[in-house]
Amino acid sequence: MKLQSRYQESSGVSKKTALDVDGRYNIKWGFDESTITFEVEVETRGYIGFGLSPTGAMSSSDIVIGGVLSGSPYLLDYYTDSNRKVHKDALQSYQLLYGRENDTHTVLAFSRNLQTCDDNDKVITGSTVRVIWAFHAEDVRVSGPVYHGTNRGRKSLRLLNPGTSSSIPAGTAFFDLQNEEVPVPHKDTTYWCQIFKFPELKKKHHIIRIEPMIQKSHENLVHHILLYQCDSDLNKSEINRRHECYHPNMPDSFFTCETVLFAWAIGGEGFTYPPHVGMSIGTSIDPVYVQMEIHFDNPSLQRGIVDNSGLRLYYSPSLRRYDAGVIETGVWVSLYHMLPPGMQDYITEGHCTQECLQESLDSEMPSGIHVFAVLLHAHLAGRAIRARHFRQQVELQPLASDDQFDFNFQEFQPLSQERIILPGDSLITECRYNTKGRMNMTWGGLSTLDEMCLSYLLYYPRVNLTRCESLPEIIGQLKFIGVKEIHEPVTTWPFVIKSPKKYSNLSFTEAMDKYKWTRKRGKAFNDIVRKLPMNVRCSKIGQDEWSIQGVIISPPELKSEQTSAAVVACRNVSEIQCGRSLALLLTACLLLILQTCLHL
């Protein structure tokens, strides 16, 4: 009981999930500034394995294995090398808190520091973590744990995400925006759109929670859902109109749906707004008609799929203090956002510029806006994303970051402390990509094989700013591969190159693919693109724009990045250990000198 009370005292924020689809392996965890505590409950009377992996595979993982043997709980810290061989860690960083078992299940609780300064342990940060799990019917033998067989798996989690409560007042009204028997096309990527009308209300209400309704077995098919505000003057005949988005035959009414209201992505759960914030509905400036856009990811080209997924929105007449808004920041989605093939580490930067924030916030909210959650978004080549924040060209702590980005796990990150964005601040959404296995250019676009670099900011109070993005100028990118002239006037897309001869009459995308890329050339291209003048996107609600939209400006001169707290912590530990070692050495030398003198 003493050990159990220690778990309860140290667990901090409490979260829980099942790691397998059958609910045989369940964990709950809590954390504070320096420590994380786990409790695992597994359907076995043998050993339990729990680990942190860089890729979701067994190799190079940080593993803890334990169980209850003859009534006594045990726990051992292991790691695996690049060949998946299991080794007992010389530094046992995990602390057993308690363990118990009954006729069917074993329960273990243990804790460790977020940063152990042990090279065999994974540092636990706010980034995505690939958790691996296993169990066996037998306990660990003297020779070590026996192979777990098929009782294993992986799941991506953000262990230090403070999360939002799923609890709302009993009886809270809700409405659903839901597909009805949508036939999913036989292709890898489809964006499906449908127009809905919000409930007619006689007074203002606040939406306080939004949660996905993903059809069972479609969890890997529905990649993300975006909700857009449409023109309030649409004809009622548009209600429930549905069609493939971004299609040549898409209805004209779909083009009026520009303002992002909410975003959900694969792996995410429902989102509950903070108690002082809600999405306003029911007033003259609030959404009336909305478009739900669902991205179906069907890489195996399955046929005959019919989908009924959507969103559920809970709303209340009990108003919160502030109205929430969403700003899309990052790289304007376009073919001008391009990544060379064969790159281990390629960096893209999308600017929400000082000029855009100055103009919009000075006009709308001079005291600034408060960001309370961020969704980071990229596609398959994405490896890491940061939403960076600058004030007077000096970098502050990132709004959000994920150094282990997982395309199949994207969710809003509630901020532990709200961040104020002031007029004149600037933001950069920085994406790191890996295109090592690709033979051709990767283009900015909608397909999962294309790329995006976006961060969606949830904030309050709502202002008339919906997109704050940038796009590098194309001319400098074409000059890099030797393009001298294009056919004008431009009448086709992608536009066609005139000279030099080797690119003559090729589209610019064909020319980029024809260029002989190497890692060195890709690195040089990356360095140039990050310094090119950029086209500013600064959009209002609907199809209106701030005056800075379309202006070409150069990237700002910005000062140093923040140092990782984990690196600093380990540096301090190393310095302390070094100091202690030096002190011990000096003491030993003095004792030796003293003994020599006494002997003389």
Side-chain angles (χ1 to χ4, degrees):
M1 290 298 293
K2 185 176 180 182
L3 286 174
Q4 187 157 349
S5 67
R6 285 176 60 191
Y7 164 75
Q8 293 166 343
E9 289 170 3
S10 64
S11 58
V13 179
S14 181
K15 303 182 75 176
K16 62 181 179 179
T17 191
L19 295 188
D20 68 319
V21 295
D22 299 318
R24 296 175 301 165
Y25 196 121
N26 296 276
I27 69 166
K28 61 182 179 180
W29 71 96
F31 57 89
D32 56 27
E33 296 82 3
S34 60
T35 308
I36 189 164
T37 306
F38 298 95
E39 183 187 82
V40 296
E41 180 180 16
V42 184
E43 190 177 320
T44 185
R45 286 175 53 83
Y47 77 71
I48 295 170
F50 177 85
L52 309 176
S53 166
T55 62
M58 186 75 171
S59 61
S60 304
S61 295
D62 173 12
I63 297 171
V64 63
I65 298 175
V68 178
L69 182 61
S70 302
S72 297
Y74 63 91
L75 190 80
L76 291 169
D77 185 358
Y78 293 89
Y79 68 93
T80 58
D81 58 29
S82 58
N83 296 316
R84 299 183 299 171
K85 187 175 180 180
V86 178
H87 305 271
K88 187 176 177 182
D89 199 332
L91 181 61
Q92 294 286 300
S93 303
Y94 290 83
Q95 180 183 5
L96 174 67
L97 299 180
Y98 61 87
R100 60 178 183 269
E101 68 178 10
N102 57 24
D103 292 339
T104 59
H105 286 74
T106 298
V107 175
L108 287 176
F110 49 88
S111 66
R112 57 155 278 192
N113 290 336
L114 301 178
Q115 167 60 276
T116 65
C117 298
D118 178 358
D119 290 341
N120 297 320
D121 291 340
K122 303 301 178 193
V123 181
I124 298 175
T125 68
S127 296
T128 297
V129 178
R130 276 78 167 174
V131 171
I132 57 175
W133 57 269
F135 62 88
H136 196 279
E138 297 180 15
D139 280 293
V140 176
R141 301 172 179 175
V142 175
S143 59
V146 293
Y147 182 60
H148 44 65
T150 59
N151 295 322
R152 62 178 181 182
R154 57 154 287 182
K155 185 169 184 173
S156 286
L157 297 171
R158 196 167 283 115
L159 293 173
L160 303 190
N161 187 343
T164 61
S165 171
S166 60
S167 63
I168 54 176
T172 300
F174 65 86
F175 60 92
D176 295 339
L177 310 178
Q178 189 171 6
N179 282 338
E180 292 185 10
E181 302 295 311
V182 169
V184 179
H186 167 64
K187 55 183 180 178
D188 63 351
T189 297
T190 300
Y191 285 76
W192 187 262
C193 288
Q194 182 168 342
I195 302 284
F196 296 89
K197 187 178 183 182
F198 273 0
E200 293 187 10
L201 303 170
K202 294 182 179 179
K203 64 176 184 177
K204 178 174 179 173
H205 287 62
H206 268 142
I207 291 172
I208 60 175
R209 176 172 169 79
I210 302 178
E211 58 189 28
M213 298 188 300
I214 308 303
Q215 182 172 326
K216 190 168 178 153
S217 78
H218 288 192
E219 291 82 3
N220 292 323
L221 174 72
V222 179
H223 185 266
H224 69 252
I225 304 176
L226 285 173
L227 194 61
Y228 295 94
Q229 180 174 342
C230 304
D231 191 329
S232 297
D233 295 327
L234 287 183
N235 192 295
K236 288 186 177 180
S237 63
E238 299 294 334
I239 299 173
N240 295 325
R241 177 171 284 197
R242 61 186 194 172
H243 199 279
E244 187 173 340
C245 321
Y246 314 110
H247 188 277
N249 297 327
M250 186 177 78
D252 290 343
S253 57
F254 286 21
F255 289 101
T256 75
C257 308
E258 292 279 347
T259 302
V260 176
L261 296 173
F262 187 74
W264 171 89
I266 188 169
E269 299 178 354
F271 185 85
T272 303
Y273 287 85
H276 54 297
V277 186
M279 182 197 296
S280 178
I281 57 173
T283 78
S284 60
I285 63 171
D286 290 336
V288 176
Y289 297 97
V290 297
Q291 180 189 84
M292 184 174 71
E293 172 190 295
I294 295 187
H295 173 193
F296 294 117
D297 183 28
N298 184 19
S300 58
L301 307 181
Q302 298 179 66
R303 295 179 181 271
I305 302 176
V306 176
D307 183 68
N308 293 278
S309 300
L311 297 172
R312 174 163 290 177
L313 295 84
Y314 293 85
Y315 66 104
S316 171
S318 300
L319 298 181
R320 274 88 186 280
R321 184 174 179 183
Y322 299 106
D323 295 339
V326 179
I327 302 175
E328 179 182 286
T329 68
V331 179
W332 194 339
V333 179
S334 166
L335 290 176
Y336 292 178
H337 175 206
M338 58 186 84
L339 320 175
M343 299 300 294
Q344 179 78 34
D345 191 28
Y346 188 90
I347 300 173
T348 289
E349 294 175 339
H351 292 254
C352 175
T353 65
Q354 177 181 346
E355 292 81 357
C356 178
L357 290 175
Q358 188 82 53
E359 181 182 9
S360 58
L361 296 187
D362 266 347
S363 174
E364 295 278 318
M365 192 61 58
S367 60
I369 57 174
H370 296 245
V371 176
F372 60 88
V374 179
L375 173 67
L376 303 171
H377 182 66
H379 286 177
L380 286 172
R383 293 296 179 269
I385 312 179
R386 288 191 297 166
R388 300 169 64 187
H389 182 195
F390 297 84
R391 180 165 296 156
Q392 296 177 347
Q393 284 73 51
V394 176
E395 185 164 16
L396 309 178
Q397 286 293 330
L399 291 174
S401 64
D402 191 345
D403 294 330
Q404 299 293 327
F405 177 76
D406 184 348
F407 172 73
N408 291 309
F409 177 67
Q410 303 183 43
E411 65 176 355
F412 268 108
Q413 299 182 36
L415 306 190
S416 56
Q417 290 186 326
E418 294 176 356
R419 182 73 64 84
I420 298 177
I421 307 295
L422 297 174
D425 283 4
S426 62
L427 308 173
I428 296 177
T429 302
E430 177 192 271
C431 296
R432 291 178 178 267
Y433 300 101
N434 184 319
T435 62
K436 200 169 179 182
R438 301 190 179 191
M439 303 303 294
N440 295 311
M441 294 292 289
T442 297
W443 305 99
L446 301 174
S447 168
T448 51
L449 293 175
D450 295 332
E451 267 309 329
M452 294 185 179
C453 181
L454 298 171
S455 52
Y456 292 93
L457 313 183
L458 277 177
Y459 74 95
Y460 69 85
R462 180 177 57 180
V463 297
N464 197 4
L465 176 64
T466 60
R467 285 184 170 92
C468 185
E469 298 167 325
S470 73
L471 190 64
E473 276 279 75
I474 186 63
I475 299 302
Q477 299 184 70
L478 292 175
K479 282 183 178 179
F480 181 86
I481 66 168
V483 170
K484 296 179 179 178
E485 190 177 7
I486 66 172
H487 281 285
E488 293 183 305
V490 174
T491 57
T492 60
W493 181 256
F495 58 77
V496 176
I497 293 170
K498 188 174 182 180
S499 67
K501 186 177 180 179
K502 65 179 178 179
Y503 298 136
S504 180
N505 294 321
L506 296 181
S507 69
F508 83 83
T509 55
E510 290 170 330
M512 280 287 179
D513 271 332
K514 185 175 181 180
Y515 183 74
K516 293 183 179 179
W517 292 99
T518 63
R519 193 178 306 174
K520 184 177 180 180
R521 288 175 175 178
K523 174 68 168 61
F525 180 72
N526 198 181
D527 292 341
I528 286 173
V529 169
R530 293 168 70 185
K531 297 174 184 176
L532 286 176
M534 55 193 184
N535 195 320
V536 172
R537 190 179 199 187
C538 191
S539 306
K540 295 182 179 181
I541 294 172
Q543 296 176 306
D544 294 332
E545 303 165 351
W546 291 97
S547 67
I548 192 67
Q549 171 124 339
V551 173
I552 306 298
I553 64 173
S554 295
E557 295 285 336
L558 299 170
K559 296 180 184 175
S560 62
E561 302 177 9
Q562 295 288 320
T563 304
S564 167
V567 172
V568 172
C570 276
R571 186 186 301 154
N572 290 341
V573 168
S574 299
E575 288 169 357
I576 291 169
Q577 290 174 339
C578 180
R580 287 174 177 169
S581 298
L582 183 59
L584 289 171
L585 180 61
L586 289 172
T587 301
C589 289
L590 288 171
L591 285 172
L592 181 61
I593 292 169
L594 181 60
Q595 289 172 354
T596 303
C597 290
L598 289 172
H599 181 71
L600 292 172

